[in-house]
Amino acid sequence: MTRLSCTGLARGIMARLVSPRVLLGLALMAASLVPYRAVALEECKCEDLGAIQTELAIALLLKQRFEIQARTLIEKYGQNPKGSDYEQAFRDYNAFQDGKGEGSAAHGLREGKPGEPDRVPYVPRGARERLAYEDNPRSGKGISAGRKWVNDTRVVDLDERRTIENRWKKEGKDLCAPDDPAKMEQSLKAGAKCAGIARAFAVHEASHADTCRQMGFYAFWERPAHQLAADEARAYTAQAEALGADIQRVMGQKRTKVRRGPSGACPECYLEVQATCIKSYEVSGKVQAIELTGRICDIERAFTLRSVGMSKVNFQMTPWDGGTRGAYTYQGTGGGARFVGDGRYTIAIGENDGKITLFSDGEAHVIGKKVKDTGMGTFKLTPLQDACE
């Protein structure tokens, strides 16, 4: 799904264009638009590899697009734009981030399914504290804008801002922490197929919080548009690295048979990974009156079926063609006779079960005599929850 971070949505309309009260309200409203519902996710497994790689490809693409956007904004408006350039840079950035057409961040990416958030807003706690102050400056709640009047112009008061930020740190409070961590966690999980993907989304948002802490809340909240774009690029880089690490973890699972590994340790290298998922089965069935059981740990590997009861018979199964068919030999004793024989088999795998069918067009040898082999039979395959060895 298209999953864009929303620091730009929260900060993208500048205080110069609307009042601080409206600006901060929009930021918090953006967070409230994300659906809140309990989501329990399982760890990513072999069957989820394609979904992880899709998210990785999207993260790498968005990283590249935001890097280009950051450079474009610097080329057009400079490192420290002022006045109308500052405002126009944000208009350009909003069009890039919020648009759907060519040249936008989301161009060509599918939208989320109903119930999935297209955007996950990172809104730092400081945004709500600013809103609390704007609601009632005399209440003593929240934090001020950290500005002062100089020659009839309201300018940044760096001393006041440092004092406010240091006071919050001493009190063990974090202005850069997500405003509603529980809600953000649930929104990150919504639409993620498995836990590893949700963790990568969380790494992305944590990158924004780390940038906020490094810069300080005020500088982070009022930074120019090109810095927002660069911050998104860094966050998508961290997200891609987390997704690559989860692909590496899935590759190490017993049920993952890696056909092609990554050519290196870079995140994009994990897009090269090709694997098949090993399914293991419990086998049960009969050949005439002889009951046989066994386990298939991997249909591409040889396996053995053994008799249950008085008869002592072993069927040695050797797969061909990726395990969908193969040959078997058997030998054993039963009913006072000793016998050997061979034949072929096929395996049909369904979504929740499977079947082995034995065929024989040969002869069996019983106590040194040739007799018609009547060993044709079928066996039921019951999936095992975990891979076996």
Side-chain angles (χ1 to χ4, degrees):
M1 62 175 290
T2 304
R3 187 69 74 105
L4 294 176
S5 175
C6 265
T7 51
L9 178 63
R11 178 61 192 90
I13 305 174
M14 303 75 68
R16 287 185 173 86
L17 301 181
V18 296
S19 70
R21 175 81 173 85
V22 174
L23 171 64
L24 295 166
L26 287 171
L28 296 170
M29 183 180 70
S32 71
L33 295 177
V34 177
Y36 184 83
R37 58 190 178 91
V39 180
L41 294 175
E42 296 181 355
E43 285 297 332
C44 298
K45 51 188 183 296
C46 180
E47 288 80 1
D48 301 318
L49 184 59
I52 307 173
Q53 288 179 311
T54 296
E55 293 293 348
L56 174 56
I58 291 172
L60 291 170
L61 176 62
L62 289 173
K63 165 186 173 292
Q64 182 183 51
R65 288 179 177 179
F66 276 96
E67 286 175 340
I68 293 172
Q69 179 66 11
R71 291 196 298 268
T72 299
L73 291 171
I74 292 172
E75 289 169 1
K76 290 179 69 175
Y77 304 108
Q79 289 278 359
N80 191 25
K82 302 292 184 182
S84 61
D85 281 349
Y86 178 90
E87 295 173 2
Q88 187 57 50
F90 264 104
R91 291 191 185 97
D92 289 0
Y93 181 75
N94 287 335
F96 165 75
Q97 180 174 252
D98 299 337
K100 300 293 184 182
E102 187 173 354
S104 69
H107 177 62
L109 302 179
R110 77 170 181 86
E111 296 184 8
K113 298 177 182 178
E116 295 179 352
D118 285 334
R119 299 176 183 274
V120 177
Y122 162 66
V123 180
R125 182 178 179 179
R128 186 175 294 279
E129 297 301 327
R130 286 283 296 109
L131 184 59
Y133 182 88
E134 294 294 333
D135 276 341
N136 188 354
R138 298 179 182 275
S139 68
K141 296 180 180 179
I143 58 175
S144 72
R147 291 180 178 271
K148 62 184 178 181
W149 290 99
V150 176
N151 298 328
D152 297 327
T153 302
R154 203 160 182 244
V155 299
V156 170
D157 187 338
L158 292 177
D159 290 337
E160 182 182 353
R161 290 185 171 188
R162 278 193 291 267
T163 298
I164 292 171
E165 291 176 345
N166 289 335
R167 184 180 75 244
W168 275 70
K169 286 180 182 179
K170 288 179 181 178
E171 293 175 358
K173 300 176 183 178
D174 186 359
L175 289 171
C176 293
D179 178 62
D180 190 337
K183 192 168 187 177
M184 172 170 278
E185 180 183 359
Q186 294 304 320
S187 69
L188 293 171
K189 291 179 179 179
K193 189 173 183 183
C194 53
I197 294 175
R199 280 196 298 270
F201 292 154
V203 166
H204 179 118
E205 303 309 325
S207 175
H208 291 314
D210 288 343
T211 300
C212 178
R213 294 182 187 105
Q214 291 167 12
M215 296 181 66
F217 166 73
Y218 286 100
F220 177 84
W221 195 242
E222 297 181 0
R223 58 195 167 157
H226 71 83
Q227 290 187 16
L228 267 76
D231 187 28
E232 285 296 343
R234 287 191 298 272
Y236 279 114
T237 298
Q239 179 178 330
E241 290 172 350
L243 290 165
D246 207 59
I247 291 174
Q248 181 67 45
R249 185 186 62 80
V250 171
M251 288 170 58
Q253 293 176 346
K254 289 194 297 184
R255 295 186 57 250
T256 305
K257 180 178 285 188
V258 178
R259 303 291 187 182
R260 178 183 177 183
S263 59
C266 58
E268 55 268 30
C269 295
Y270 287 99
L271 295 175
E272 304 166 1
V273 172
Q274 298 176 10
T276 54
C277 304
I278 298 171
K279 291 187 176 181
S280 299
Y281 299 92
E282 195 77 46
V283 185
S284 60
K286 287 185 177 181
V287 174
Q288 297 187 38
I290 301 174
E291 183 178 355
L292 297 163
T293 63
R295 280 190 170 187
I296 301 176
C297 295
D298 179 356
I299 63 171
E300 296 185 14
R301 289 164 43 195
F303 59 96
T304 301
L305 303 180
R306 294 183 172 83
S307 60
V308 177
M310 298 297 293
S311 299
K312 303 296 181 184
V313 183
N314 289 339
F315 278 66
Q316 303 294 332
M317 320 293 283
T318 304
W320 307 330
D321 297 339
T324 58
R325 65 192 185 105
Y328 69 85
T329 61
Y330 64 87
Q331 60 179 338
T333 59
R338 178 180 174 142
F339 47 89
V340 296
D342 56 43
R344 54 193 173 85
Y345 71 88
T346 60
I347 293 183
I349 303 295
E351 185 174 347
N352 298 311
D353 57 11
K355 181 175 73 172
I356 298 177
T357 303
L358 302 184
F359 300 92
S360 178
D361 49 10
E363 295 177 328
H365 295 262
V366 180
I367 319 177
K369 297 181 180 180
K370 295 181 180 180
V371 299
K372 183 66 177 177
D373 187 348
T374 58
M376 185 172 178
T378 59
F379 296 82
K380 179 182 178 181
L381 303 183
T382 303
L384 295 171
Q385 186 172 2
D386 297 315
C388 58
E389 296 293 342

